Amino acid sequence: MPPKQKSKSWAELKQAGNECFKTGQYGEATNLYSQAIKALEKNSKRNPEDLAILYSNRAASYLKDGNCGECVKDCNMSLELSQFNVKSLLRRAAASEALERYRQAYVDYKTALQIDCNIAAAHDGTNRMTKALTETDGPSWREKLPPIPTVPLSVKEKLAQKSAGSVTQQSPTPQQNGTTQTKKSAPSDKEIKKAQALKEEGNGLVKKGEHKKAIEKYSQSLKHNPTEVTTYTNRALCYLSVKQYRDAIRDCDEALVIDSNNVKALYRRAQAHKELKDVRACVDDLNSLLKVEAKNSAALKLLQEVQKKK
């Protein structure tokens, strides 16, 4: 009789799954991750985070194979075991988007941005979902959203310090045809200086009333430094001036991801919502602003004006 082969450990099965995933063998990767999950679930010393990673990895394989329903189920399992797992949030968002569950996708993209505001895929996804939800639900689409969970600071710090040991290739969203997602890298000192110079040129154009030219300068500036909150709020002001209200909202959204209490972003977004007749969203933004600056006269005046028209 041939000697009985030793069964592979869950870690070995996971590694084999990762190798198959990298070479595009998504069906085989799914099979190996399933075996790894069974092996780990039998282990009395199992770590919930290890199991969460396996479910997230299998979700990535399902997503690549177009099995979005199973991807969502596995992401749900992963997030039950390890709340605020960024990769699981992004994969569930991508699958929900493919299934046209735009509200859930929006919530997951926004939650991921709370954890790390530099995730390009989450920024792009949020913008796409904002557009899709505006088209499907109208200007009051925010009222129909499920609650967006607040990510505690302790979680952000913990997740920033360690990188999850899951599949290294980030799952693409349906629109990206298999391209790998990357984070926006931190700008260099040279890029920051270039961005600042372009922003100042934009500020000069605003003073002259040349808002469209200023938008171009601010856009160029953000290519060099996408982390500068005032460039977003300045461009939002220009978009308001040329009546591009949805673009103004998107810029304020970006600013608020970086600084959730930014007064200018909240006020300018409220102005844009007012112009789009989204009174509820306008009032929500003004109330959020007044929690930061209770005596902000411009916000109090606009709030009074909007409430009179209700």
Side-chain angles (χ1 to χ4, degrees):
M1 275 180 75
K4 190 177 179 182
Q5 283 192 329
K6 184 184 174 184
S7 59
K8 289 183 178 179
S9 69
W10 72 266
E12 289 171 325
L13 290 162
K14 174 192 164 190
Q15 184 57 38
N18 289 354
E19 293 303 320
C20 286
F21 185 94
K22 287 174 187 174
T23 55
Q25 300 174 70
Y26 304 121
E28 184 57 26
T30 299
N31 181 39
L32 288 162
Y33 291 138
S34 297
Q35 291 178 50
I37 287 167
K38 284 181 183 177
L40 185 55
E41 283 178 337
K42 290 177 184 175
N43 190 330
S44 59
K45 296 178 182 178
R46 66 179 177 269
N47 183 332
E49 289 195 10
D50 289 331
L51 198 52
I53 289 167
L54 286 174
Y55 275 112
S56 186
N57 285 7
R58 191 171 69 176
S61 296
Y62 279 135
L63 184 61
K64 284 284 194 178
D65 259 350
N67 194 340
C68 296
E70 290 303 313
C71 174
V72 169
K73 287 179 187 175
D74 270 3
C75 289
N76 290 344
M77 289 295 295
S78 175
L79 290 162
E80 278 181 28
L81 291 159
S82 179
Q83 194 180 22
F84 304 123
N85 180 305
V86 175
K87 289 184 178 181
S88 297
L89 285 167
L90 291 172
R91 286 163 186 162
R92 188 170 69 180
S96 296
E97 183 176 350
L99 294 166
E100 298 185 6
R101 298 173 185 169
Y102 299 137
R103 294 172 195 162
Q104 181 59 56
Y106 179 89
V107 168
D108 283 341
Y109 283 132
K110 291 294 278 187
T111 305
L113 285 172
Q114 287 185 65
I115 298 164
D116 184 347
C117 67
N118 293 317
I119 302 172
H123 280 287
D124 294 342
T126 300
N127 289 338
R128 284 195 306 275
M129 293 308 92
T130 299
K131 185 178 179 182
L133 287 166
T134 302
E135 289 171 358
T136 55
D137 293 343
S140 59
W141 61 270
R142 290 173 190 276
E143 295 174 25
K144 299 173 184 177
L145 286 175
I148 299 173
T150 301
V151 180
L153 184 59
S154 58
V155 171
K156 295 181 193 180
E157 289 171 348
K158 182 184 174 185
L159 292 172
Q161 286 169 4
K162 70 166 190 177
S163 59
S166 57
V167 175
T168 54
Q169 191 173 347
Q170 182 124 310
S171 305
T173 55
Q175 286 78 0
Q176 284 154 328
N177 301 322
T179 56
T180 303
Q181 288 303 303
T182 55
K183 290 184 181 183
K184 295 176 182 175
S185 56
S188 64
D189 289 343
K190 185 179 178 181
E191 285 176 313
I192 290 170
K193 285 178 183 176
K194 179 66 176 173
Q196 183 63 26
L198 287 162
K199 185 178 86 167
E200 286 171 6
E201 285 183 49
N203 293 349
L205 289 164
V206 170
K207 288 175 184 175
K208 295 177 185 176
E210 297 181 33
H211 295 104
K212 286 188 177 179
K213 288 184 180 178
I215 288 169
E216 289 177 16
K217 290 295 180 185
Y218 291 138
S219 299
Q220 291 170 24
S221 175
L222 286 166
K223 285 179 183 177
H224 292 281
N225 182 8
T227 65
E228 177 53 57
V229 68
T230 57
T231 312
Y232 287 110
T233 55
N234 288 3
R235 191 170 67 174
L237 176 64
C238 293
Y239 279 135
L240 285 169
S241 299
V242 298
K243 299 184 179 180
Q244 290 178 227
Y245 302 122
R246 298 198 194 286
D247 289 320
I249 288 170
R250 277 195 284 273
D251 269 1
C252 292
D253 286 344
E254 295 281 358
L256 289 163
V257 166
I258 299 167
D259 175 8
S260 60
N261 292 325
N262 189 284
V263 169
K264 286 183 179 178
L266 287 166
Y267 183 70
R268 287 169 188 169
R269 191 168 71 177
Q271 288 178 299
H273 284 313
K274 174 179 172 283
E275 295 299 331
L276 292 169
K277 307 285 191 290
D278 190 347
V279 175
R280 171 74 178 274
C282 175
V283 170
D284 285 348
D285 279 341
L286 292 171
N287 284 333
S288 295
L289 190 163
L290 291 167
K291 286 178 184 176
V292 182
E293 281 188 14
K295 296 181 180 179
N296 187 297
S297 57
L300 289 165
K301 183 180 177 182
L302 184 58
L303 184 61
Q304 191 176 28
E305 183 185 326
V306 171
Q307 287 176 331
K308 274 183 183 177
K309 291 181 179 180
K310 282 179 77 175

PDB file of all heavy atoms in Angstrom, residues 203-220:
ATOM      1  N   ASN A 203      -6.364  80.709  -7.221  1.00  0.00           N
ATOM      2  CA  ASN A 203      -6.892  81.732  -6.322  1.00  0.00           C
ATOM      3  C   ASN A 203      -6.875  83.111  -6.983  1.00  0.00           C
ATOM      4  O   ASN A 203      -7.821  83.898  -6.837  1.00  0.00           O
ATOM      5  CB  ASN A 203      -6.065  81.772  -5.027  1.00  0.00           C
ATOM      6  CG  ASN A 203      -6.219  80.512  -4.187  1.00  0.00           C
ATOM      7  OD1 ASN A 203      -7.093  79.681  -4.451  1.00  0.00           O
ATOM      8  ND2 ASN A 203      -5.369  80.345  -3.198  1.00  0.00           N
ATOM      9  N   GLY A 204      -5.794  83.398  -7.732  1.00  0.00           N
ATOM     10  CA  GLY A 204      -5.690  84.672  -8.440  1.00  0.00           C
ATOM     11  C   GLY A 204      -6.775  84.826  -9.490  1.00  0.00           C
ATOM     12  O   GLY A 204      -7.356  85.911  -9.663  1.00  0.00           O
ATOM     13  N   LEU A 205      -7.082  83.728 -10.188  1.00  0.00           N
ATOM     14  CA  LEU A 205      -8.134  83.762 -11.215  1.00  0.00           C
ATOM     15  C   LEU A 205      -9.518  83.952 -10.592  1.00  0.00           C
ATOM     16  O   LEU A 205     -10.384  84.621 -11.169  1.00  0.00           O
ATOM     17  CB  LEU A 205      -8.091  82.467 -12.037  1.00  0.00           C
ATOM     18  CG  LEU A 205      -6.881  82.330 -12.971  1.00  0.00           C
ATOM     19  CD1 LEU A 205      -6.713  80.890 -13.427  1.00  0.00           C
ATOM     20  CD2 LEU A 205      -7.026  83.269 -14.173  1.00  0.00           C
ATOM     21  N   VAL A 206      -9.729  83.362  -9.405  1.00  0.00           N
ATOM     22  CA  VAL A 206     -11.008  83.542  -8.708  1.00  0.00           C
ATOM     23  C   VAL A 206     -11.226  85.014  -8.387  1.00  0.00           C
ATOM     24  O   VAL A 206     -12.325  85.562  -8.564  1.00  0.00           O
ATOM     25  CB  VAL A 206     -11.062  82.693  -7.417  1.00  0.00           C
ATOM     26  CG1 VAL A 206     -12.278  83.071  -6.572  1.00  0.00           C
ATOM     27  CG2 VAL A 206     -11.103  81.208  -7.747  1.00  0.00           C
ATOM     28  N   LYS A 207     -10.166  85.685  -7.933  1.00  0.00           N
ATOM     29  CA  LYS A 207     -10.266  87.124  -7.598  1.00  0.00           C
ATOM     30  C   LYS A 207     -10.658  87.950  -8.814  1.00  0.00           C
ATOM     31  O   LYS A 207     -11.297  88.998  -8.694  1.00  0.00           O
ATOM     32  CB  LYS A 207      -8.943  87.614  -7.016  1.00  0.00           C
ATOM     33  CG  LYS A 207      -8.680  87.085  -5.614  1.00  0.00           C
ATOM     34  CD  LYS A 207      -7.309  87.483  -5.114  1.00  0.00           C
ATOM     35  CE  LYS A 207      -7.014  86.859  -3.751  1.00  0.00           C
ATOM     36  NZ  LYS A 207      -5.645  87.137  -3.290  1.00  0.00           N
ATOM     37  N   LYS A 208     -10.266  87.466 -10.001  1.00  0.00           N
ATOM     38  CA  LYS A 208     -10.615  88.173 -11.248  1.00  0.00           C
ATOM     39  C   LYS A 208     -11.985  87.746 -11.787  1.00  0.00           C
ATOM     40  O   LYS A 208     -12.437  88.239 -12.817  1.00  0.00           O
ATOM     41  CB  LYS A 208      -9.563  87.876 -12.324  1.00  0.00           C
ATOM     42  CG  LYS A 208      -8.180  88.413 -12.007  1.00  0.00           C
ATOM     43  CD  LYS A 208      -7.214  87.981 -13.113  1.00  0.00           C
ATOM     44  CE  LYS A 208      -5.781  88.379 -12.788  1.00  0.00           C
ATOM     45  NZ  LYS A 208      -4.833  87.877 -13.805  1.00  0.00           N
ATOM     46  N   GLY A 209     -12.610  86.789 -11.100  1.00  0.00           N
ATOM     47  CA  GLY A 209     -13.914  86.304 -11.545  1.00  0.00           C
ATOM     48  C   GLY A 209     -13.844  85.290 -12.674  1.00  0.00           C
ATOM     49  O   GLY A 209     -14.863  84.951 -13.279  1.00  0.00           O
ATOM     50  N   GLU A 210     -12.646  84.762 -12.936  1.00  0.00           N
ATOM     51  CA  GLU A 210     -12.467  83.792 -14.030  1.00  0.00           C
ATOM     52  C   GLU A 210     -12.552  82.367 -13.470  1.00  0.00           C
ATOM     53  O   GLU A 210     -11.558  81.643 -13.360  1.00  0.00           O
ATOM     54  CB  GLU A 210     -11.127  84.043 -14.731  1.00  0.00           C
ATOM     55  CG  GLU A 210     -11.057  85.412 -15.396  1.00  0.00           C
ATOM     56  CD  GLU A 210      -9.730  85.648 -16.103  1.00  0.00           C
ATOM     57  OE1 GLU A 210      -9.145  84.671 -16.623  1.00  0.00           O
ATOM     58  OE2 GLU A 210      -9.276  86.806 -16.132  1.00  0.00           O
ATOM     59  N   HIS A 211     -13.764  81.966 -13.146  1.00  0.00           N
ATOM     60  CA  HIS A 211     -13.966  80.719 -12.410  1.00  0.00           C
ATOM     61  C   HIS A 211     -13.655  79.463 -13.221  1.00  0.00           C
ATOM     62  O   HIS A 211     -13.142  78.482 -12.682  1.00  0.00           O
ATOM     63  CB  HIS A 211     -15.403  80.668 -11.866  1.00  0.00           C
ATOM     64  CG  HIS A 211     -15.674  81.723 -10.850  1.00  0.00           C
ATOM     65  ND1 HIS A 211     -16.402  82.854 -11.125  1.00  0.00           N
ATOM     66  CD2 HIS A 211     -15.258  81.842  -9.562  1.00  0.00           C
ATOM     67  CE1 HIS A 211     -16.461  83.622 -10.049  1.00  0.00           C
ATOM     68  NE2 HIS A 211     -15.775  83.030  -9.082  1.00  0.00           N
ATOM     69  N   LYS A 212     -13.963  79.479 -14.508  1.00  0.00           N
ATOM     70  CA  LYS A 212     -13.690  78.288 -15.334  1.00  0.00           C
ATOM     71  C   LYS A 212     -12.188  78.052 -15.461  1.00  0.00           C
ATOM     72  O   LYS A 212     -11.722  76.910 -15.401  1.00  0.00           O
ATOM     73  CB  LYS A 212     -14.337  78.437 -16.707  1.00  0.00           C
ATOM     74  CG  LYS A 212     -15.852  78.265 -16.662  1.00  0.00           C
ATOM     75  CD  LYS A 212     -16.456  78.218 -18.043  1.00  0.00           C
ATOM     76  CE  LYS A 212     -17.957  77.975 -17.948  1.00  0.00           C
ATOM     77  NZ  LYS A 212     -18.592  77.946 -19.290  1.00  0.00           N
ATOM     78  N   LYS A 213     -11.423  79.116 -15.631  1.00  0.00           N
ATOM     79  CA  LYS A 213      -9.967  78.982 -15.709  1.00  0.00           C
ATOM     80  C   LYS A 213      -9.405  78.540 -14.360  1.00  0.00           C
ATOM     81  O   LYS A 213      -8.448  77.767 -14.289  1.00  0.00           O
ATOM     82  CB  LYS A 213      -9.333  80.306 -16.143  1.00  0.00           C
ATOM     83  CG  LYS A 213      -9.572  80.640 -17.616  1.00  0.00           C
ATOM     84  CD  LYS A 213      -8.850  81.914 -18.003  1.00  0.00           C
ATOM     85  CE  LYS A 213      -9.086  82.250 -19.483  1.00  0.00           C
ATOM     86  NZ  LYS A 213      -8.418  83.516 -19.864  1.00  0.00           N
ATOM     87  N   ALA A 214     -10.019  79.045 -13.288  1.00  0.00           N
ATOM     88  CA  ALA A 214      -9.585  78.660 -11.939  1.00  0.00           C
ATOM     89  C   ALA A 214      -9.817  77.164 -11.712  1.00  0.00           C
ATOM     90  O   ALA A 214      -8.973  76.479 -11.120  1.00  0.00           O
ATOM     91  CB  ALA A 214     -10.334  79.476 -10.894  1.00  0.00           C
ATOM     92  N   ILE A 215     -10.948  76.651 -12.214  1.00  0.00           N
ATOM     93  CA  ILE A 215     -11.240  75.214 -12.084  1.00  0.00           C
ATOM     94  C   ILE A 215     -10.127  74.397 -12.723  1.00  0.00           C
ATOM     95  O   ILE A 215      -9.675  73.389 -12.165  1.00  0.00           O
ATOM     96  CB  ILE A 215     -12.611  74.878 -12.722  1.00  0.00           C
ATOM     97  CG1 ILE A 215     -13.743  75.422 -11.842  1.00  0.00           C
ATOM     98  CG2 ILE A 215     -12.766  73.363 -12.919  1.00  0.00           C
ATOM     99  CD1 ILE A 215     -15.113  75.381 -12.497  1.00  0.00           C
ATOM    100  N   GLU A 216      -9.655  74.830 -13.886  1.00  0.00           N
ATOM    101  CA  GLU A 216      -8.569  74.117 -14.579  1.00  0.00           C
ATOM    102  C   GLU A 216      -7.300  74.088 -13.727  1.00  0.00           C
ATOM    103  O   GLU A 216      -6.625  73.064 -13.628  1.00  0.00           O
ATOM    104  CB  GLU A 216      -8.276  74.792 -15.926  1.00  0.00           C
ATOM    105  CG  GLU A 216      -9.380  74.585 -16.957  1.00  0.00           C
ATOM    106  CD  GLU A 216      -9.098  75.332 -18.248  1.00  0.00           C
ATOM    107  OE1 GLU A 216      -7.932  75.747 -18.465  1.00  0.00           O
ATOM    108  OE2 GLU A 216     -10.045  75.529 -19.037  1.00  0.00           O
ATOM    109  N   LYS A 217      -6.980  75.230 -13.116  1.00  0.00           N
ATOM    110  CA  LYS A 217      -5.768  75.309 -12.283  1.00  0.00           C
ATOM    111  C   LYS A 217      -5.892  74.423 -11.044  1.00  0.00           C
ATOM    112  O   LYS A 217      -4.950  73.721 -10.669  1.00  0.00           O
ATOM    113  CB  LYS A 217      -5.506  76.759 -11.863  1.00  0.00           C
ATOM    114  CG  LYS A 217      -5.072  77.670 -13.000  1.00  0.00           C
ATOM    115  CD  LYS A 217      -3.707  77.257 -13.560  1.00  0.00           C
ATOM    116  CE  LYS A 217      -3.278  78.161 -14.706  1.00  0.00           C
ATOM    117  NZ  LYS A 217      -2.019  77.708 -15.330  1.00  0.00           N
ATOM    118  N   TYR A 218      -7.073  74.466 -10.410  1.00  0.00           N
ATOM    119  CA  TYR A 218      -7.276  73.624  -9.223  1.00  0.00           C
ATOM    120  C   TYR A 218      -7.215  72.136  -9.590  1.00  0.00           C
ATOM    121  O   TYR A 218      -6.678  71.322  -8.838  1.00  0.00           O
ATOM    122  CB  TYR A 218      -8.623  73.939  -8.563  1.00  0.00           C
ATOM    123  CG  TYR A 218      -8.687  75.301  -7.906  1.00  0.00           C
ATOM    124  CD1 TYR A 218      -9.826  76.105  -8.030  1.00  0.00           C
ATOM    125  CD2 TYR A 218      -7.616  75.793  -7.157  1.00  0.00           C
ATOM    126  CE1 TYR A 218      -9.903  77.348  -7.428  1.00  0.00           C
ATOM    127  CE2 TYR A 218      -7.685  77.042  -6.545  1.00  0.00           C
ATOM    128  CZ  TYR A 218      -8.829  77.816  -6.690  1.00  0.00           C
ATOM    129  OH  TYR A 218      -8.887  79.053  -6.089  1.00  0.00           O
ATOM    130  N   SER A 219      -7.751  71.797 -10.767  1.00  0.00           N
ATOM    131  CA  SER A 219      -7.721  70.395 -11.217  1.00  0.00           C
ATOM    132  C   SER A 219      -6.280  69.940 -11.440  1.00  0.00           C
ATOM    133  O   SER A 219      -5.899  68.822 -11.067  1.00  0.00           O
ATOM    134  CB  SER A 219      -8.533  70.231 -12.510  1.00  0.00           C
ATOM    135  OG  SER A 219      -9.883  70.577 -12.282  1.00  0.00           O
ATOM    136  N   GLN A 220      -5.472  70.814 -12.043  1.00  0.00           N
ATOM    137  CA  GLN A 220      -4.049  70.510 -12.241  1.00  0.00           C
ATOM    138  C   GLN A 220      -3.342  70.353 -10.895  1.00  0.00           C
ATOM    139  O   GLN A 220      -2.511  69.459 -10.706  1.00  0.00           O
ATOM    140  CB  GLN A 220      -3.377  71.609 -13.065  1.00  0.00           C
ATOM    141  CG  GLN A 220      -3.826  71.672 -14.518  1.00  0.00           C
ATOM    142  CD  GLN A 220      -3.318  72.919 -15.219  1.00  0.00           C
ATOM    143  OE1 GLN A 220      -2.312  73.516 -14.832  1.00  0.00           O
ATOM    144  NE2 GLN A 220      -4.035  73.347 -16.243  1.00  0.00           N
TER     145      GLN A 220
END
